[in-house]
Amino acid sequence: MILLRLYFEFFKTGLFAVGGGMATIPFLYDLSDKTGWFTHNDLANMIAVGESTPGPIGVNMATYVGSSQAGLLGGLVATLAVITPAFLIILLVSTLMKTFLKNKYAQAVLGGLKPCVVGIVLATGLYMLVN
């Protein structure tokens, strides 16, 4: 039951924490109050350690909380749960983009934007050279 709860709680965290790992901190703060899995002091320590270890802080903290509650399997479940929403959203967007890019109007708009982007990049480069 703890594995299912870990998955559910960290899936919600991953789903609504848009903007990077630091966006998970308010969710984890609420999670500490709701579940008692860790204290606010533990959260502060997790942020410090999460910032000093490689990888996204949200994933690091999910791994830590999951492993502290249910061992290695708990860490794996919480980690997978926090990244599942991003994976599903990217899958959906890539599917929609394939369909969108087959549209002749979308191709025409993108074809018209290419020279604009080139012009903006060149203007920026020229501006940087002059100033």
Side-chain angles (χ1 to χ4, degrees), residues 25-56:
I25 292 172
F27 293 99
L28 291 169
Y29 189 86
D30 289 341
L31 188 63
S32 75
D33 290 338
K34 185 167 57 171
T35 63
W37 289 340
F38 52 94
T39 66
H40 294 166
N41 190 41
D42 292 337
L43 179 60
N45 290 333
M46 286 191 297
I47 293 169
V49 172
E51 280 292 312
S52 63
T53 55

Side-chain angles (χ1 to χ4, degrees), residues 33-85:
D33 290 338
K34 185 167 57 171
T35 63
W37 289 340
F38 52 94
T39 66
H40 294 166
N41 190 41
D42 292 337
L43 179 60
N45 290 333
M46 286 191 297
I47 293 169
V49 172
E51 280 292 312
S52 63
T53 55
I57 190 169
V59 173
N60 291 345
M61 290 197 292
T63 305
Y64 172 77
V65 172
S67 64
S68 71
Q69 294 305 305
L72 182 63
L73 187 57
L76 184 63
V77 166
T79 302
L80 288 175
V82 82
I83 65 172
T84 299

Side-chain angles (χ1 to χ4, degrees), residues 87-101:
F87 176 77
L88 294 175
I89 290 168
I90 293 297
L91 197 63
L92 176 67
V93 167
S94 67
T95 303
L96 292 174
M97 285 299 292
K98 282 183 182 178
T99 305
F100 176 74
L101 291 176

